[in-house]
Amino acid sequence: MNRLLLVCLIALSAAACSTVPPLNFTPADINVVARQQPVALVSVIVTIARPDEAAGQIEIAGMENDVQQLWISSLEDAVTRMAIFNDNASTRVNMNVKILKLDIPAAGLAMTTQTIARYELLDRNTGAVVFTSDVQADGRVPMDFAFVGVIRARESVSRSVQNNIATFLQQLEAADLSEAQFPSPRDAN
């Protein structure tokens, strides 16, 4: 009995000393696309929805800047590795991303984080929306991933955002960006 108690205490202390992994939003397995889009990407901006714009809970209090910067760098890395944009194209776009939901589980055995983000490509010359999509994704981490709940929760955030970005990139690759989805507000005048 004493041996079993000792083994349990060692296992618990090792689990308690586990380091919390860093957030990692960059999707794995990014491949170069067969066909580049006929636009040049100039900048990536990530913002967090106001309460009246949100599509659910956004639980990143105190980490807003970190989440935004990590999302930006992950997107920039992914589109660079994909070589999806054509730097020589005459149409230059900004990518605006608005985080509409980042719902992190408070507790549980398996942790699932849900994200929704609105991606827009805006023509810098005309203001036209070249492409827009609201992307929803989940990141699920099973109980056997780690004993400590905060590690599972953090990993579920990483997986959810990775899945969100990967889904957007798949949509972007399949899209036709040669014409704007929504014309310029200037054209309405």
Side-chain angles (χ1 to χ4, degrees), residues 17 23 26 30 37 41 60 75 87 91 117 130 133 186:
C17 295
L23 289 172
T26 305
I30 299 293
Q37 291 290 355
L41 180 64
I60 53 174
L75 265 171
D87 291 342
T91 303
V130 176
S133 179
R186 291 183 199 150

Side-chain angles (χ1 to χ4, degrees), residues 58-163:
I58 301 174
E59 300 170 8
I60 53 174
M63 293 183 49
E64 292 85 357
N65 191 48
D66 295 335
V67 168
Q68 288 170 285
Q69 293 305 313
L70 188 53
W71 205 305
I72 289 169
S73 64
S74 296
L75 265 171
E76 288 175 341
D77 175 64
V79 298
T80 299
R81 288 189 288 137
M82 284 180 78
I84 193 163
F85 294 106
N86 181 343
D87 291 342
N88 298 319
S90 59
T91 303
R92 301 168 59 78
V93 297
N94 286 346
M95 182 186 299
N96 294 342
V97 181
K98 185 169 288 197
I99 301 168
L100 302 172
K101 180 178 183 179
L102 186 57
D103 191 5
I104 303 167
L109 298 179
M111 302 280 189
T112 302
T113 295
Q114 298 176 336
T115 55
I116 300 175
R118 176 170 297 137
Y119 295 84
E120 290 184 336
L121 296 178
L122 302 173
D123 185 316
R124 290 175 60 97
N125 293 323
T126 67
V129 177
V130 176
F131 178 79
T132 185
S133 179
D134 286 3
V135 177
Q136 180 173 343
D138 293 339
R140 186 175 186 285
V141 176
M143 171 60 184
D144 62 357
F145 180 81
F147 179 75
V148 179
V150 70
I151 293 173
R152 291 193 313 278
R154 195 166 176 98
E155 179 63 19
S156 75
V157 171
S158 289
R159 289 182 186 185
S160 183
V161 177
Q162 288 171 9
N163 293 339

